[in-house]
Amino acid sequence: MHLWLSHEQVKTIVTQAREGAPHEVCGLIGGRDGKALEIVPVDNISAQPNVHYEMDPQQQINTMLRWQREALDLIGIYHSHPQTPPIPSQTDIRDAAYPDSAYLIVSLKNPKANLAAWQIKHGDANRVHLHVGDSPPAPEDITPMTRPQHYAILIAMVLAALALIGLSIQLLPPAPPIPTPGG
């Protein structure tokens, strides 16, 4: 999984975070194949907006229904951390409801905003490659496969080849009888 944002989209999200501080701000990222095509700010209706975000459900539903009509996917959810690093809190992890979307966090802890993207699935948060630029990420920028993934593919190829050979042997017609001399 990766998330690709343009410089302008990042600027929009960071500006929203700075203007909303000290409260957390939040929003949705719509796009295709990891590429952001639309950033939609959503009101934070949390009772404790300084330390938590809760998206306005009606705004969220309206945006997602519109995206469905426009054939856009929910590829990301963003929110800010005005005082802490861009690492998901236990509450962020607990409340994550979209395991196939990236969770982008904007930290304002330092003068320069810091962004990080995460996939939060089954209570685990794993870093997602975040590409910021107007041109597509280079193939080497997309997270490479790990050594175990390479081995798994190699083993799957060998097993598939063996299965194909076994199936081919089973489909061969029976061998004709061998003629005997004098008979």
Side-chain angles (χ1 to χ4, degrees):
M1 173 183 280
H2 69 280
L3 180 61
W4 171 17
L5 299 169
S6 71
H7 291 288
E8 193 61 37
Q9 290 166 332
V10 168
K11 182 179 174 186
T12 298
I13 293 169
V14 170
T15 299
Q16 179 192 356
R18 289 192 194 287
E19 290 174 354
H23 295 166
E24 291 190 8
V25 300
C26 52
L28 302 170
I29 303 170
R32 289 186 199 97
D33 300 320
K35 180 182 183 199
L37 299 172
E38 186 176 355
I39 305 296
V40 178
V42 176
D43 292 337
N44 180 356
I45 62 167
S46 170
Q48 299 176 305
N50 288 16
V51 294
H52 182 255
Y53 78 97
E54 180 181 339
M55 290 192 187
D56 178 292
Q58 193 59 56
Q59 289 176 344
Q60 187 176 3
I61 289 168
N62 291 345
T63 299
M64 293 172 76
L65 287 173
R66 180 173 56 80
W67 284 349
Q68 189 175 33
R69 290 188 303 272
E70 297 171 2
L72 289 178
D73 298 317
L74 173 66
I75 64 166
I77 296 166
Y78 70 89
H79 75 282
S80 62
H81 281 185
Q83 300 296 323
T84 58
I87 299 170
S89 67
Q90 288 303 313
T91 303
D92 293 338
I93 293 171
R94 182 194 69 221
D95 293 347
Y98 298 93
D100 296 327
S101 296
Y103 283 82
L104 178 71
I105 301 176
V106 181
S107 172
L108 301 177
K109 182 179 179 181
N110 298 315
K112 184 177 185 230
N114 190 6
L115 288 81
W118 305 85
Q119 180 178 30
I120 303 175
K121 197 175 206 174
H122 308 299
D124 291 323
N126 295 299
R127 195 82 179 247
V128 168
H129 178 74
L130 174 61
H131 175 74
V132 177
D134 297 320
S135 58
E140 64 271 6
D141 285 347
I142 296 175
T143 307
M145 288 192 295
T146 63
R147 186 176 300 267
Q149 288 171 324
H150 280 282
Y151 288 140
I153 290 172
L154 182 61
I155 291 169
M157 288 172 48
V158 168
L159 290 175
L162 290 173
L164 186 59
I165 291 169
L167 182 62
S168 298
I169 291 172
Q170 286 182 348
L171 293 175
L172 287 175
I178 299 175
T180 58

